[in-house]
Amino acid sequence: MISVDEVCAKLRTEGRRVTPQRRVIVQVLLEDGAHLTADHVLKAARCELPDISPATVYNTLHELAALGIVQELDLGLGLEERLYDIDTGEHDHLVCLRCGRVEDVPRRNGVASSLREDHDFDIVDRRVIYLGYCPDCAGDRESM
Ligand SMILES: [Zn+2]
Ligand SMILES: [Zn+2]
């Protein structure tokens, strides 16, 4: 797992300033686990820096995503439901529509190569989110 110092060093090499606010945001992303909403990051960051503004949190998360330090997962459920994942290794996500549980799953290969062949398209990246119901919620749905 990458450390706060490593992320800050990366920000500096990209020519960004490492402010106390940015440092705290990175720390929250690393310590609170994967798949956090901006709101979660804001609340956790406020424990350290009570004056940190929502705009600072949103802007920093976007910046980290643009630099490839976090993955931004857009579930198609609105801005507030976007999730930030410090694990940028290749993996896909299962998201439960009912309880919001997010599970990392290994990337299935094969799809990209067949798309590449069929459409002559040079694929460099992809973001796959499978929406559905986790075992707990699927059970509840049947009994409803
Ligand atoms: Zn669920
Ligand atoms: Zn993930």
Side-chain angles (χ1 to χ4, degrees):
M1 190 58 133
I2 194 164
S3 72
V4 177
D5 287 331
E6 282 169 315
V7 175
C8 291
K10 195 163 177 189
L11 281 171
R12 281 193 203 96
T13 56
E14 298 285 348
R16 317 290 165 129
R17 287 197 320 129
V18 179
T19 60
Q21 288 85 351
R22 287 186 177 168
R23 213 184 155 81
V24 165
I25 291 165
V26 170
Q27 201 177 323
V28 170
L29 288 165
L30 286 168
E31 285 175 2
D32 284 21
H35 321 121
L36 306 175
T37 61
D39 193 51
H40 178 114
V41 176
L42 176 65
K43 287 196 179 116
R46 278 194 167 151
C47 298
E48 298 282 328
L49 297 171
D51 294 334
I52 195 166
S53 74
T56 301
V57 172
Y58 277 94
N59 293 340
T60 302
L61 289 172
H62 281 299
E63 202 171 38
L64 293 172
L67 293 173
I69 294 169
V70 296
Q71 273 196 67
E72 189 178 57
L73 304 178
D74 187 348
L75 308 181
L77 304 171
L79 258 179
E80 264 132 58
E81 303 295 329
R82 279 191 194 174
L83 299 174
Y84 295 87
D85 189 353
I86 195 91
D87 180 0
T88 56
E90 275 205 350
H91 66 282
D92 293 330
H93 295 93
L94 302 177
V95 179
C96 179
L97 288 165
R98 190 134 186 257
C99 68
R101 186 201 289 191
V102 180
E103 225 175 293
D104 287 334
V105 288
R107 185 158 284 184
R108 304 277 154 103
N109 288 311
V111 183
S113 56
S114 73
L115 284 171
R116 194 174 284 133
E117 272 168 34
D118 296 351
H119 297 269
D120 193 21
F121 194 88
D122 182 19
I123 297 165
V124 294
D125 191 16
R126 62 178 163 156
R127 324 241 159 130
V128 181
I129 297 164
Y130 301 93
L131 299 171
Y133 297 93
C134 71
D136 294 345
C137 296
D140 282 357
R141 248 164 42 105
E142 273 153 31
S143 63
M144 272 193 306

